[in-house]
Amino acid sequence: MRDRFRDWNLLHKSVVAVLAALFVSLVFRLILVIDAGFELTHEVVLPYAAPEVWAFVSDDENRVRWQAELVDAQRLKGDMAQSGSTRLLFWKRGYKNWHAVEKTTEVLPERLFASIQESDKDQRWYRLELSPEGPCETRVLVREVIRPKSYNNRFWFFREEEVHDARWEASFAALGRWLDRTAGQNCTAR
């Protein structure tokens, strides 16, 4: 065996280099997530006018109907479509239940809704923008920045990205179904 591999130092050096690279990348990840928030962006174009979509986005009862994992929303102060209003949101994912206090930070009727949510497990900045692309077509863009409170959840957050993507895909599908049932007949070319 010694004849085949004449320079044993090369083997040891390569093993040490691989271990050093692994250690440096681990330390880099540890430092990177000390105070990290993770931005998730989801977008869909719906064949409905912006006012029809806004009716589901800006109302607590309708929001519970289409937004996946949201079980209930209780108004604490003001109307959801008013800046500064607050509400208590109840969430459920599988067997995990949690609640968050949400405060509306920005509202531009039929165009923009932004809020901040604070719970025991994370802090979220939620921004939903509606962009009309025609008389009967609206682009819905959701930007969500999630900052888990525990360091462990921030470090392993990349494992949960698929869960959040699936949540928004289910939400947009439900929004489309609710709009199919309730939207007016303003757009005849559907």
Side-chain angles (χ1 to χ4, degrees):
M1 183 112 176
R2 199 160 231 239
D3 294 322
R4 288 186 180 165
F5 200 85
R6 293 178 190 251
D7 188 6
W8 281 94
N9 286 333
L10 182 61
L11 174 65
H12 293 103
K13 288 177 183 176
S14 63
V15 169
V16 168
V18 168
L19 291 176
L22 182 65
F23 178 75
V24 168
S25 65
L26 183 63
V27 168
F28 180 71
R29 175 77 177 160
L30 288 170
I31 292 170
L32 188 67
V33 299
I34 284 177
D35 194 24
F38 304 94
E39 183 176 2
L40 305 168
T41 303
H42 305 281
E43 184 175 19
V44 68
V45 176
L46 297 172
Y48 298 95
E52 293 173 335
V53 177
W54 181 254
F56 274 87
V57 170
S58 65
D59 180 54
D60 290 329
E61 185 178 326
N62 285 333
R63 185 173 171 197
V64 170
R65 290 178 177 159
W66 70 269
Q67 195 167 353
E69 297 179 356
L70 184 60
V71 179
D72 194 14
Q74 297 294 319
R75 183 184 315 186
L76 297 176
K77 181 181 98 176
D79 188 25
M80 184 177 164
Q82 294 175 340
S83 187
S85 66
T86 57
R87 66 208 126 285
L88 187 60
L89 302 178
F90 294 92
W91 298 90
K92 182 175 182 169
R93 179 183 300 146
Y95 295 108
K96 296 179 185 177
N97 296 317
W98 71 97
H99 62 278
V101 175
E102 180 181 62
K103 181 178 181 181
T104 303
T105 55
E106 290 180 73
V107 175
L108 183 60
E110 299 182 7
R111 296 291 183 263
L112 170 71
F113 174 78
S115 68
I116 185 169
Q117 297 174 14
E118 184 83 32
S119 72
D120 289 340
K121 65 181 257 170
D122 61 21
Q123 189 173 23
R124 297 178 186 208
W125 292 266
Y126 172 75
R127 184 177 186 88
L128 190 136
E129 299 175 18
L130 301 178
S131 303
E133 297 205 339
C136 295
E137 205 170 62
T138 304
R139 180 176 302 278
V140 180
L141 175 68
V142 174
R143 285 193 179 119
E144 194 173 32
V145 176
I146 301 173
R147 184 185 181 275
K149 293 214 173 164
S150 77
Y151 180 81
N152 187 34
N153 289 342
R154 285 193 303 269
F155 186 82
W156 297 106
F157 188 81
F158 65 89
R159 296 186 316 175
E160 291 187 21
E161 285 185 57
E162 291 178 2
V163 173
H164 293 286
D165 289 340
R167 176 174 64 96
W168 280 109
E169 287 175 15
S171 295
F172 288 142
L175 180 59
R177 285 191 305 274
W178 275 102
L179 285 166
D180 283 343
R181 290 183 198 162
T182 61
Q185 297 299 323
N186 296 338
C187 300
T188 56
R190 289 186 189 178

